[in-house]
Amino acid sequence: MQLYTKILIALIAGVVVGIVANLAGIEPLQDFLVAIGPFGTAWIRLITMIVVPLVVASLLVGTASLGDLRKVGRIGGKTLVYYMATTAVAVTIGLGISNLVRPGSGVDPATRDALAGQFSGEAAQRMTLAAEKPSVVETLLAMIPTNPIQAAADMDLLPLIIFTIIFGAAVSTLDPRLRDPVLRVFEGINEASMVVIDWVMLLAPYAVFALIAAIVAQFGLDLLRSLLVYSVVVVAGLLLHALVTYGLILRFLARLNPGAFFKRIREVPLIAFSTSSSNATLPLTMETAEEEVGVPKEVSSFVLPLGATINMDGTALYQAVAVMFIAQIYGFDMGVGEQLTVVLTATLASVGAAGVPSAGIITLIIVLQSVGLGDQVQAGIALILGVDRILDMLRTAVNVTGDLTASAVIARSEGAELSLSGSQEAEVSEGT
Ligand code: ASP
């Protein structure tokens, strides 16, 4: 049985067992499922463990083999423009559907206040977290690390990327006598990281079961019902963006068959769904781009870690729907001006969101404030917090699919030969 099938079965089993425990109110089973949750968390830690060595080694080898800083600059520029443009499209889709369906119009004020009351404590915590966010200048300055080891230790990917690119470019200028041994060491680290990923992935089905069953047993699906229309709008928007926007981009910009592409990368959104974290999925995203799609390392090693940090189409789309929903539910009029502001701020807020669970709901506060919903922030967040976990899983799946699509587009624009035929697969050690 393929690994993907095993993970999918584990996921479905987790949902079913979780629902049974929750609906039937079988407390011992519920307690057991919550108790095995830490196994899932242990797995997330195992895969996250490899992010820093993999990103540094792969990016260093990638930049050094480009050997030309101008090429790095060109790929960087293209990637940033592409990321911003696709995220703005995602926000526009979110706004469009919310205008059509008006998910906030049907909710009566009593339900609204009951829901908002239930999560008000947790919402206040998120507000405190958001208040600690640094200013724009501080954020820009923080991109230059004063100590790259510190950046690595904090898993602060953006400064680490900046340092590694500069260092890799410097290595490429050295005399081959010095350059080659350095590169060989990092090539070795890169290959060993890939082996670790293959090992950790063998445990993925068990981890996915533990993660999903624990969440469903704990939260149940009750809340989903009261926020059903809102959730359906988010899901519809995400599907539309993943299938239509990415489908068209893959077909016309990457010149790949979208169906075949999605099939080859399908493990990646599944793991993103189960972990709710682009960062935790990053090792698998990088391995998949190189081995399943044939994206050259010099592109994947740069585009993907950057994408996990700043490119979040799913998050931005969700934020657009959330703002419209909260505005509608509180009778706040969102005109063209406000909606254009959302396109801008949601695109930027998704850049600022880290690739970890629930990051999107914290930066959502910025978007709410930007359109004048400042007074409704806490109640609004409390309102949607109940279904945030499940929507987080879905938007993370879209985020990583967007990163992979970008790597294919940028690789193609650099003249790379992409292949979905699986010829690269020979190198993957399957389950040994
Ligand atoms: N969990 C998302 C990610 O890692 C971020 C978010 O939307 O909360 O991509």
Side-chain angles (χ1 to χ4, degrees):
M1 202 192 293
Q2 278 184 321
L3 186 59
Y4 169 77
T5 319
K6 286 190 201 159
I7 299 175
L8 197 61
I9 293 174
L11 187 99
I12 296 168
V15 172
V16 172
V17 178
I19 290 181
V20 168
N22 194 284
L23 285 190
I26 313 172
E27 257 180 47
L29 182 58
Q30 234 168 323
D31 292 345
F32 171 73
L33 294 180
V34 173
I36 60 169
F39 286 105
T41 313
W43 186 83
I44 294 188
R45 293 179 68 105
L46 271 178
I47 189 109
T48 310
M49 174 175 89
I50 212 66
V51 168
V52 169
L54 176 66
V55 168
V56 172
S58 149
L59 189 55
L60 197 124
V61 175
T63 330
S65 62
L66 276 178
D68 180 355
L69 258 188
R70 265 170 312 181
K71 203 167 168 193
V72 178
R74 192 179 65 220
I75 296 182
K78 265 196 285 200
T79 308
L80 285 180
V81 171
Y82 174 92
Y83 277 160
M84 293 301 130
T86 47
T87 307
V89 171
V91 177
T92 310
I93 292 178
L95 289 175
I97 309 192
S98 308
N99 281 312
L100 269 181
V101 181
R102 301 194 57 83
S105 308
V107 182
D108 71 285
T111 317
R112 175 190 76 190
D113 296 337
L115 271 173
Q118 203 176 341
F119 287 95
S120 60
E122 232 179 291
Q125 272 175 16
R126 306 292 159 110
M127 301 268 304
T128 324
L129 278 178
E132 285 162 7
K133 275 215 153 291
S135 73
V136 176
V137 177
E138 279 168 345
T139 310
L140 289 177
L141 276 179
M143 283 168 56
I144 306 167
T146 47
N147 178 352
I149 308 291
Q150 180 82 50
D154 295 341
M155 229 178 95
D156 230 343
L157 288 185
L158 224 43
L160 197 60
I161 290 172
I162 305 259
F163 167 77
T164 312
I165 288 178
I166 296 174
F167 200 78
V171 169
S172 74
T173 65
L174 298 179
D175 183 83
R177 189 177 55 87
L178 295 171
R179 186 192 60 202
D180 294 347
V182 175
L183 284 185
R184 214 161 313 131
V185 167
F186 281 97
E187 272 165 18
I189 296 178
N190 180 61
E191 285 303 311
S193 305
M194 296 285 198
V195 174
V196 175
I197 298 169
D198 287 341
W199 285 345
V200 178
M201 282 306 292
L202 292 177
L203 296 172
Y206 309 100
V208 166
F209 176 84
L211 287 167
I212 301 292
I215 291 173
V216 178
Q218 224 169 349
F219 297 114
L221 299 175
D222 264 7
L223 275 166
L224 207 55
R225 216 171 305 141
S226 47
L227 292 170
L228 192 65
V229 184
Y230 160 70
S231 307
V232 168
V233 170
V234 175
V235 175
L238 291 175
L239 276 176
L240 199 67
H241 189 60
L243 298 180
V244 179
T245 314
Y246 295 155
L248 290 173
I249 288 175
L250 284 166
R251 166 84 63 203
F252 294 107
L253 293 182
R255 294 198 298 284
L256 290 172
N257 177 334
F261 178 86
F262 290 135
K263 190 157 180 239
R264 289 215 80 87
I265 65 148
R266 60 193 176 172
E267 257 171 39
V268 179
L270 205 57
I271 290 298
F273 178 84
S274 309
T275 59
S276 277
S277 167
S278 300
N279 281 3
T281 315
L282 181 58
L284 183 67
T285 317
M286 290 173 74
E287 190 184 59
T288 305
E290 288 166 31
E291 288 174 356
E292 302 290 330
V293 188
V295 175
K297 179 176 290 312
E298 63 257 31
V299 173
S300 63
S301 67
F302 173 69
V303 172
L304 294 171
L306 192 69
T309 326
I310 70 163
N311 181 47
M312 300 198 179
D313 292 1
T315 301
L317 190 152
Y318 140 86
Q319 290 183 333
V321 179
V323 169
M324 292 297 281
F325 176 70
I326 292 170
Q328 287 162 3
I329 224 170
Y330 285 101
F332 184 90
D333 191 29
M334 292 284 286
V336 179
E338 278 87 5
Q339 298 203 24
L340 284 176
T341 310
V342 173
V343 175
L344 192 71
T345 48
T347 303
L348 294 178
S350 72
V351 171
V356 295
S358 296
I361 199 155
I362 295 171
T363 52
L364 170 66
I365 296 172
I366 304 169
V367 189
L368 284 169
Q369 277 162 346
S370 74
V371 292
L373 276 163
D375 291 342
Q376 276 76 27
V377 167
Q378 191 163 341
I381 299 279
L383 200 60
I384 56 171
L385 209 52
V387 283
D388 196 60
R389 185 63 217 232
I390 170 93
L391 296 183
D392 190 7
M393 297 158 90
L394 289 162
R395 65 190 188 237
T396 310
V398 173
N399 291 345
V400 296
T401 308
D403 298 341
L404 272 173
T405 306
S407 73
V409 171
I410 304 291
R412 182 67 91 190
S413 76
E414 287 291 312
E417 280 298 321
L418 299 178
S419 138
L420 298 173
S421 60
S423 50
Q424 293 89 347
E425 243 185 346
E427 290 171 22
V428 191
S429 53
E430 270 287 339
T432 41

